[in-house]
Amino acid sequence: MEKKKLLGMTPDELKEVTLSCGLPKFAAKQIADWMYVKRVRSIDEMTNISKAGREALKENYELGVIAYAGLAESSDGTKKYLFPVETMVNATLGVENTAVEAVMIPDEDRATLCVSSQSGCKMGCHFCMTGRQGFHGNLSVADILSQFIAVDESARLTNAVFMGMGEPLDNYPNVMRAIEVLTSDWGFGWSPKRITLSTIGVLPNLRRYLDECRCHLAVSLHNPFPEERQSVMPVQKGWPIEQVIEMIKEYDFTGQRRVSFEYTMFAGFNDDKRHADALARLLKGLECRVNLIRFHKIPDFPYDCPPQAVMEAFRDRLNRQGVTTTIRASRGEDILAACGMLAGQHNSKK
Ligand code: SF4
């Protein structure tokens, strides 16, 4: 019988575990503390639980922390970790062994982890290496949290962005549970302000996210014109960006929670005055920020990144129209860890 994973469980769920294993109730709090505060990597390290208790736990449960299987380090200090995961594709294809990546980006006193939520992605954005590989399955809560626990910088992580492989709102229950663990007093105890979830606008779950979660939101916009956007982002057909922005405008972003828009720049496709002006019109009345992102060329995609001067002119035009816009520094390009470059290593089926 497959063992259940403890990583990701709430205190109430852990109480049931302790009861079923004949452990005292207070052991639930001890287990949560070992997992989420001390961030151990095995049940054997939970030394204030009796040896017999640990053995009883191990009969039906495992911790669920996966160790990274590969590491690449950029000249700018960015580190890309490779995690082997098992995902359930669907009933016909069964379980697959795949790999996902997490990227640690150091920046002065911050260390931000860019986390994956799926192996591959269903959304098929033409400019994205993850989208190119198709969908291999959702990550479990333990797989998502493992990325936080297993990286060498676990103890000094300050922020997280759900911007790695996959569309987080397409794996809603697991991503939300991981965020609950990260932001609860009984979990990592992080403020929601330290976490940003990035989406291309999965409308039904976006509504739930905005209602249920206090973390920041980033939306991949990339083109203000529906037809042009749809030509590189198939999602536009089902969940148009106009409706996404309309929904976002119903919520308050003037306080703690922030919304930003990611705009990857493609020369000759979305980088002229017409696009800047349409973008400013689309975002009118919304307290937000636009991040311009350098496109990193991938095979079989016709566009390049525009020159720096074009990006700066685009930024300035938006700023003049009252839309706070910055050009995001690109990190980890030399280890293929920058935006849109994560592909993992796709292994064989079981
Ligand atoms: Fe999926 Fe995001 Fe890549 Fe689009 S950009 S294919 S949503 S991972």
Side-chain angles (χ1 to χ4, degrees):
M1 197 185 68
E2 204 184 320
K3 292 186 181 179
K4 286 196 192 143
K5 291 175 177 152
L6 296 174
L7 190 59
M9 287 191 182
T10 61
D12 282 347
E13 289 166 346
L14 289 169
K15 267 181 207 152
E16 305 218 338
V17 170
T18 52
L19 276 178
S20 72
C21 295
L23 290 167
K25 247 194 197 168
F26 63 79
K29 195 170 177 312
Q30 292 173 318
I31 297 171
D33 192 58
W34 283 113
M35 289 197 293
Y36 304 136
V37 181
K38 300 192 181 83
R39 303 192 200 159
V40 295
R41 295 164 192 210
S42 71
I43 290 175
D44 283 325
E45 290 172 69
M46 301 180 178
T47 47
N48 60 359
I49 295 171
S50 68
K51 184 148 193 327
R54 280 179 266 149
E55 293 306 320
L57 264 178
K58 286 195 289 183
E59 271 176 36
N60 295 312
Y61 297 93
E62 60 183 352
L63 184 51
V65 177
I66 39 174
Y68 63 82
L71 170 62
E73 192 160 357
S74 162
S75 54
D76 68 15
T78 300
K79 285 165 84 175
K80 182 170 75 170
Y81 291 90
L82 186 77
F83 288 94
V85 290
E86 280 186 356
T87 52
M88 186 73 187
V89 188
N90 62 42
T92 322
L93 291 171
V95 175
E96 271 194 346
N97 292 317
T98 64
V100 297
E101 289 163 339
V103 180
M104 192 287 300
I105 308 147
D107 188 14
E108 293 178 0
D109 53 349
R110 284 159 71 121
T112 301
L113 192 68
C114 178
V115 193
S116 290
S117 55
Q118 296 181 312
S119 174
C121 185
K122 288 179 208 157
M123 303 299 154
C125 303
H126 295 193
F127 47 82
C128 168
M129 286 305 285
T130 306
R132 288 277 178 90
Q133 63 170 245
F135 179 63
H136 305 294
N138 283 326
L139 298 198
S140 65
V141 184
D143 290 342
I144 297 171
L145 291 173
S146 282
Q147 297 170 62
F148 289 85
I149 293 173
V151 296
D152 298 339
E153 299 73 19
S154 179
R156 60 179 188 87
L157 292 175
T158 58
N159 295 75
V161 289
F162 283 82
M163 287 187 189
M165 297 168 72
E167 163 53 60
L169 293 186
D170 191 38
N171 184 13
Y172 194 82
N174 292 348
V175 167
M176 283 305 113
R177 172 58 72 89
I179 288 178
E180 185 186 350
V181 172
L182 291 168
T183 56
S184 293
D185 290 345
W186 50 261
F188 282 46
W190 282 22
S191 156
K193 286 190 287 184
R194 294 166 65 177
I195 299 170
T196 302
L197 179 142
S198 173
T199 178
I200 55 170
V202 177
L203 270 180
N205 287 341
L206 178 60
R207 167 78 72 198
R208 288 179 65 190
Y209 177 76
L210 291 170
D211 285 337
E212 295 169 8
C213 191
R214 299 302 306 156
C215 297
H216 301 309
L217 175 72
V219 176
S220 301
L221 203 155
H222 308 318
N223 199 308
F225 297 113
E227 274 175 26
E228 291 181 16
R229 187 170 187 262
Q230 196 178 315
S231 72
V232 293
M233 297 179 75
V235 70
Q236 172 70 22
K237 195 160 189 253
W239 295 310
I241 192 68
E242 315 85 274
Q243 289 182 22
V244 170
I245 290 169
E246 228 170 83
M247 183 187 284
I248 291 171
K249 282 181 176 170
E250 292 173 29
Y251 292 81
D252 179 17
F253 287 96
T254 53
Q256 301 268 308
R257 179 161 64 171
R258 291 193 305 260
V259 60
S260 57
F261 293 89
E262 312 291 300
Y263 196 95
T264 303
M265 299 210 62
F266 308 107
F269 176 71
N270 65 356
D271 62 345
D272 63 23
K273 293 176 189 164
R274 199 172 57 94
H275 291 97
D277 295 347
L279 189 54
R281 280 196 301 276
L282 195 60
L283 301 179
K284 200 166 187 260
L286 190 58
E287 185 71 37
C288 66
R289 163 182 292 271
V290 170
N291 292 316
L292 303 181
I293 300 167
R294 274 184 193 83
F295 175 57
H296 305 100
K297 184 95 180 127
I298 63 168
D300 304 322
F301 186 73
Y303 303 105
D304 274 312
C305 183
Q308 179 72 11
V310 172
M311 291 186 72
E312 286 173 6
F314 196 90
R315 175 198 63 193
D316 295 346
R317 197 170 178 94
L318 280 168
N319 278 321
R320 278 198 301 275
Q321 294 182 65
V323 182
T324 308
T325 306
T326 49
I327 298 174
R328 185 191 288 158
S330 185
R331 304 291 302 270
E333 243 175 279
D334 54 341
I335 53 166
L336 303 182
C339 284
M341 297 176 100
L342 298 184
Q345 258 176 10
H346 181 225
N347 301 328
S348 59
K349 287 192 179 95
K350 248 190 181 175

